[in-house]
Amino acid sequence: MAAVAGEHLQSAEAENEAARQDDDDEQPSVEVAFAGQTPPPWWLQVTARSVAASVVLGTVLTFMSMRIGLTAGVGPAFNIVASLLGFFVIKSWTRLLARFGVASQPFTRQENVVLQTCIISCATLSFYGGFSTYLLAMTGTVAKSTGGTGTGRDVYELHTGKVMAFLGLVSYASLFCTLPLRKLMILDYKLMYPSGSAIAGIVNSFHTPAGAATAKLQVLAMTKAMVGSFMWASFQWIYTGGSGCGFQDFPMFGLRAYKQKFYFDFSASLVGVGMICPVVVNFSMLFASAITSFFLWPALQSKKGQWYTDPSPTNFRGVNGYKVPMGIAMVLGDCLFQLGSITIRAAYHFNKNRQGQSLGSTNVPDDINSDEKTSLSYDDRRRNKIFLDKGLPDYVAVAGYIFFSAVSAIFVPQIFPQIRYYHVALLYAVAPIMAFCNSYASGLCDWSLASVYGKLAIFIVGAWVGEAAGGTIAGLAACGVMLMIIGNAAELMHDFKTGYLTLTSPVSMFISQAIGTSIGCLINPLVFLCLEKFVGKEHLGEAGSVFSAPLATAYRGLAVLSVKGIKILPKHSLMFCIAFVFGAFFLDCLATIAKAKKWKVKSYIPNAMAMAIPFLIGPNIAIDMAMGSLLLVIWKKTNKKSANMLSVVVASDHIVIELCSALKDM
């Protein structure tokens, strides 16, 4: 506290002079624009209005993320949208109060970062919490969709209160997991954390005159897109006469293609998702959809009676015993490559940093001296002062993690009886090591491998527990523990990087993460409960339905394979799986080599993970998302600056409006 208060006593004139002197000798400074602004103490950065706004916006983005995950099997990042909406809401609120003569606290970039962190901490739990993956995979509906009976110890019906308790226990532990490493990651190793750095750049720009003008243009574009999306949704509603009727079931490519679910269903939300996701991802899905719909699936169906006899389209002993395992094989092939590639890169970078430190570097230890300070830029000196002045002591982080680990080892088996306390204890023991590796890799290349570690937990714990004792549910519960701890730990490091670049106190960053996590532990189960009530519990994860939850099917398939083995698969399925594992690995190798060699074809090599999705869902979703990419490409050709500035908010608006329309129809 004293150090933060001392920051407020610093002379603004002295700061301005130091900034001007440094700016003459260095590259353009970010902090020179804020040299006369002293960051408020952490207790003024975490405000009641920002928490209230995060509840509302976190609920909206949670609903968006959850529905997209249940339909398309993807989870687009909403960080930019959260920053923009948070800026717009609080700015509008302060201006409204000013018109009525009510004074309010100035809206600073630090409060903007705190608000954005709260919102994203809430919304990301829709994925890490497993509502479209491992939790939903436990239900009887998904079990039946993958050929199971939907009863017994391999099925767990979700209870809202127990889900809240599970999320709270594990997600709070994740906050403490890598907390002592924030200085090591950000100052000593100088990791970029690209997403965190990008958000910091956006927030810093919002709070300059030019950035505020850009934000106004984005809000105006959002309003126009909202009106257009609402009119289109109303037009579609007029021509919808029931199930299988209307624009959403229009056989644009002919009846034969329609029977294979290869049609454009005019879904504005999926078109919006396509505008946000990378072009290569969308067209990889489209390419795989065309191959499977017109060649692979008809060929497998022609082998009925020779390779398999079960007529069920969902049973693993029938045609589904080819579709789902081949999709899982591509996922595993991609995961193995990414794990190996990022591990090698992280190890090389780690070793290089250690060698650099032994030769002497300008890293910033706690006992930094005046000579080292002068070697840093003006921006770095300001940021380091805030970042090092205050923070939770390491022993608090260690004690917090041990406490939640012990409590989880006691109560998680009460929530999921199939998993034992020693399984949970082992997961918590190895999670910090995995979290460090993942956070380091995420800081290098912005790619989190949390889901990979979660899938490994499925195989290890599922096989350990065994089929008779409920290994399927135990493996999925273990996946949840690993996914939340490792994923949230990496997200926290991105948030600390954002805070570092915006002079936000580490204490307020941790508190905002804790508040957002608390909100998420309440909001996410309630949103999922609403979807169950409106859609019907029996339709969430049902094969062929709108909410088919492709990732839940994949996670369920992994859990079943971990306890039953390959004996349940039809003839030649294993050979196909091996071929697809190597195929995915080869595609990733080719893409990496093409990028390193700067080949012209590097942008046209399909993404293996994206190609796996059409094996688990219908191709119509891939067509919608590819259409979103096509529209974005055309927009960039006509006006690149406008597209770069406005495409994300326009896409998000399409998603929000259609999801609200869908909620109305539920």
Side-chain angles (χ1 to χ4, degrees), residues 52 98 248 385 550:
Q248 66 268 25
K385 180 174 177 59

Side-chain angles (χ1 to χ4, degrees), residues 296-509:
L296 189 55
W297 299 159
L300 289 173
Q301 289 164 0
S302 69
K303 296 297 181 180
K304 182 180 177 181
Q306 301 176 42
W307 290 1
Y308 62 94
T309 56
D310 196 314
S312 173
T314 60
N315 198 312
F316 267 26
R317 299 184 186 276
V319 70
N320 210 39
Y322 296 98
K323 292 182 177 181
V324 174
M326 283 192 290
I328 293 172
M330 292 199 72
V331 171
L332 290 178
D334 180 80
C335 289
L336 288 173
F337 176 84
Q338 298 297 342
L339 181 61
S341 172
I342 292 178
T343 301
I344 292 171
R345 291 172 60 187
Y348 171 77
H349 193 270
F350 182 85
N351 184 59
K352 188 177 179 181
N353 267 326
R354 299 293 294 180
Q355 290 177 350
Q357 287 179 350
S358 65
L359 295 174
S361 65
T362 57
N363 293 337
V364 189
D366 290 328
D367 57 347
I368 184 171
N369 59 47
S370 59
D371 292 335
E372 287 173 318
K373 283 184 178 179
T374 56
S375 68
L376 298 174
S377 67
Y378 171 72
D379 285 4
D380 287 341
R381 291 203 300 274
R382 288 199 81 190
R383 292 165 179 167
N384 292 344
K385 180 174 177 59
I386 298 295
F387 196 70
L388 294 173
D389 271 349
K390 272 294 177 182
L392 289 176
D394 290 349
Y395 67 84
V396 173
V398 174
Y401 186 78
I402 293 174
F403 171 77
F404 282 106
S405 301
V407 174
S408 296
I410 296 171
F411 288 103
V412 169
Q414 304 298 319
I415 300 172
F416 303 109
Q418 292 87 344
I419 194 170
R420 308 300 296 171
Y421 71 91
Y422 46 85
H423 300 138
V424 179
L426 178 62
L427 292 171
Y428 273 91
V430 301
I433 302 172
M434 304 300 182
F436 168 76
C437 297
N438 187 58
S439 297
Y440 193 95
S442 181
L444 283 178
C445 56
D446 207 28
W447 188 273
S448 176
L449 295 176
S451 61
V452 177
Y453 295 114
K455 294 181 181 76
L456 290 176
I458 291 178
F459 277 108
I460 295 171
V461 177
W464 186 358
V465 174
E467 181 180 3
T472 302
I473 300 301
L476 291 169
C479 171
V481 172
M482 294 296 282
L483 185 59
M484 269 196 283
I485 292 178
I486 296 173
N488 279 338
E491 293 290 336
L492 183 60
M493 283 299 162
H494 280 276
D495 291 337
F496 275 129
K497 183 69 174 185
T498 303
Y500 171 74
L501 295 175
T502 55
L503 302 190
T504 307
S505 167
V507 175
S508 63
M509 292 303 300

Side-chain angles (χ1 to χ4, degrees), residues 484-558:
M484 269 196 283
I485 292 178
I486 296 173
N488 279 338
E491 293 290 336
L492 183 60
M493 283 299 162
H494 280 276
D495 291 337
F496 275 129
K497 183 69 174 185
T498 303
Y500 171 74
L501 295 175
T502 55
L503 302 190
T504 307
S505 167
V507 175
S508 63
M509 292 303 300
F510 179 81
I511 292 175
S512 62
Q513 185 87 10
I515 292 173
T517 299
S518 302
I519 296 170
C521 290
L522 296 174
I523 294 297
N524 279 275
L526 293 177
V527 170
F528 185 78
L529 181 63
C530 290
L531 286 172
E532 281 190 331
K533 297 293 184 184
F534 289 127
V535 177
K537 184 184 296 186
E538 69 279 4
H539 296 306
L540 288 180
E542 181 185 22
S545 70
V546 175
F547 300 94
S548 58
L551 289 181
T553 303
Y555 277 67
R556 179 79 190 189
L558 286 171

